[in-house]
């Protein structure tokens, strides 16, 4: 008597390729790893809070010291993605207990990291402008590409968790999806009173969090990680809509910030071109940089002429930039020369 052939995997071809049935973890295995309230809860929670506290200190030190290597170390240590993926698993399997418990850990962990960053920024004297710190500047003005990267990283993390044979990629996922460093930046900025910058870093964290939850939820549900029952489909659909709506709410400011960054790049490029043509009239002069500060265009120049013909700069900018911007020439000696208003 011959053995009966193994039943065909009912999942679509793409899912069978990404998550082969032979390597697919069960819902129980995922819950044991992602639910901090499951079996061995005391040990899991002890490890979570210990590692998150250490990651907060390391991330804050890296941000305040403007050290990329230190910040990357905090990313590897940080366990915050565990309860975030726990939210995704709870939604995918219809387990409200897992979802709400994981949300509680994420909220408490978020508060811990922000508090560490704020306390450290108050204790350490400020030595420079916050935006001069590359770790802060890189996380306070997120764009649409950050959201795209977060979605792709979320899928990679969910695949790594759902497969038995690719867990080795998780450290790379931890580095790619920035969770603790933006929260450390939120705390540092709040400690210095820079609420606007703190809000920008918080938007980055929120976009990464929601992207992780959405990507994880879709993947865990698509492979029936929890053996989803038909009665849960409507509940799952509502959860997807809610997460997608939140992601859209976060995505709108990211899109606006990306558009603003592009327009600013176009504007400064036009000013740079016009200013380069202008300084050619002064032998030995060059344009060092162009900045838009509020409603002022700052053209930084290095010139041997103490009185460069600034009036010609305004003529060169006519039609290249919007009207109503005040143009200021800043020399390498720090002298400000008021040129006039663009027309």
């Amino acid at each position: 008597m011959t053995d009966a052939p193994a039943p065909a995997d009912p999942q679509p071809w793409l899912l069978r390729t990404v998550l082969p049935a032979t390597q697919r973890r069960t819902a129980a295995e995922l819950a044991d790893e992602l639910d901090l309230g499951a079996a061995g809860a005391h040990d899991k929670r002890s490890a979570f809070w210990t590692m998150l506290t250490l990651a907060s200190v390391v991330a804050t030190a890296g941000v305040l010291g403007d050290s990329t290597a230190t910040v990357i170390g905090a990313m590897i240590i940080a366990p915050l993605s565990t309860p975030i993926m726990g939210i995704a698993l709870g939604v995918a399997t219809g387990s409200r207990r897992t979802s709400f418990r994981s949300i509680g850990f994420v909220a408490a962990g978020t508060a811990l990291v922000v508090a560490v960053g704020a306390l450290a920024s108050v204790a350490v004297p400020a030595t420079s402008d916050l935006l001069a710190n590359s770790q802060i500047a890189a996380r306070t003005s997120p764009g649409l590409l950050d959201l795209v990267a977060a979605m792709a990283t979320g899928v990679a993390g969910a695949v790594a968790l759902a497969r038995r044979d690719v867990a080795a990629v998780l450290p790379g996922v931890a580095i790619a999806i920035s969770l603790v460093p933006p929260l450390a930046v939120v705390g540092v900025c709040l400690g210095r009173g820079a609420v606007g910058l703190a809000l920008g870093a918080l938007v980055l964290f929120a976009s990464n969090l929601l992207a992780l939850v959405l990507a994880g939820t879709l993947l865990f549900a698509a492979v029936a990680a929890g053996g989803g029952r038909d009665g849960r489909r409507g509940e799952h659909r509502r959860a997807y809509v809610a997460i997608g709506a939140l992601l859209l709410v976060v995505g709108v400011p990211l899109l606006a910030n990306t558009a603003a960054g592009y327009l600013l790049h176009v504007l400064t490029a036009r000013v740079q071109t016009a200013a380069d043509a202008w300084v050619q009239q002064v032998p030995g002069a060059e344009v060092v940089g162009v900045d838009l500060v509020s409603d002022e265009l700052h053209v930084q120049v290095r010139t041997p002429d103490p009185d460069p013909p600034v009036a010609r700069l305004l003529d060169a900018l006519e039609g290249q930039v919007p009207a109503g911007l005040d143009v200021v020439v800043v020399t390498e000696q720090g002298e400000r020369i008021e040129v006039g208003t663009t027309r």
Side-chain angles (χ1 to χ4, degrees):
M1 181 176 179
T2 58
D3 293 334
D9 190 337
Q11 299 296 339
W13 173 82
L14 180 59
L15 283 175
R16 294 200 309 271
T17 302
V18 174
L19 291 173
T22 56
Q23 297 296 337
R24 202 175 299 165
R25 294 181 186 270
T26 65
E29 290 174 321
L30 288 172
D32 184 63
E33 184 170 350
L34 300 175
D35 188 353
L36 296 179
H42 179 270
D43 294 341
K44 291 178 181 178
R45 294 176 182 181
S46 173
F48 173 78
W49 290 117
T50 299
M51 299 305 289
L52 184 59
T53 301
L54 292 172
S56 303
V57 173
V58 173
T60 301
V63 169
L64 290 174
D66 197 4
S67 171
T68 301
T70 305
V71 170
I72 291 175
M75 293 178 185
I76 296 175
I77 296 172
L80 201 53
S81 60
T82 298
I84 291 176
M85 280 302 191
I87 298 173
L89 180 65
V91 174
T93 60
S95 174
R96 293 184 179 181
R97 177 177 296 181
T98 299
S99 294
F100 285 116
R101 191 156 48 200
S102 298
I103 289 172
F105 278 105
V106 171
T110 297
L112 170 65
V113 180
V114 172
V116 170
L119 290 174
S121 69
V122 171
V124 177
T127 57
S128 63
D129 178 51
L130 289 176
L131 285 178
N133 185 314
S134 64
Q135 301 303 318
I136 293 177
R139 293 177 174 87
T140 53
S141 185
L144 197 59
L145 287 179
D146 293 300
L147 184 59
V148 173
M151 282 296 300
T153 306
V155 173
V159 170
L161 288 167
R163 288 185 61 148
R164 295 186 176 91
D165 58 341
V166 291
V169 307
L170 285 176
V173 171
I175 295 174
I177 191 74
S178 191
L179 295 171
V180 170
L183 292 177
V185 170
V186 171
V188 169
C189 293
L190 287 178
R192 300 279 174 85
V195 178
L197 295 179
L199 183 60
L202 187 61
V203 168
L204 175 61
F205 169 76
S207 66
N208 289 347
L209 184 154
L210 291 172
L212 271 177
V213 172
L214 183 59
T217 299
L218 293 175
L219 188 67
F220 294 154
V223 299
R229 297 181 292 275
D230 292 343
R232 295 287 189 183
R233 289 180 181 174
E235 185 176 330
H236 292 167
R237 190 175 296 111
R238 288 192 295 273
Y240 300 152
V241 171
I243 296 171
L246 289 173
L247 199 61
L248 182 62
V249 169
V250 173
V252 168
L254 295 182
L255 178 60
N257 196 40
T258 301
Y262 173 76
L263 293 176
L264 179 60
H265 172 74
V266 171
L267 175 66
T268 54
R270 287 182 175 181
V271 175
Q272 181 78 40
T273 300
D276 285 340
W278 165 67
V279 295
Q280 287 179 357
Q281 306 169 32
V282 182
E286 63 175 328
V287 177
V288 178
V290 175
D291 294 306
L292 179 63
V293 181
S294 186
D295 60 347
E296 289 186 346
L297 273 175
H298 289 191
V299 180
Q300 303 168 29
V301 299
R302 182 181 294 116
T303 172
D305 188 345
D307 297 305
V310 295
R312 298 179 183 177
L313 175 60
L314 206 60
D315 294 334
L317 291 175
E318 186 173 0
Q320 299 298 314
V321 298
L325 293 175
D326 294 329
V327 181
V328 178
V329 170
V330 182
T331 67
E332 60 182 336
Q333 290 80 24
E335 181 186 0
R336 284 172 53 97
I337 304 175
E338 305 288 342
V339 178
T341 303
T342 56
R343 54 190 184 273

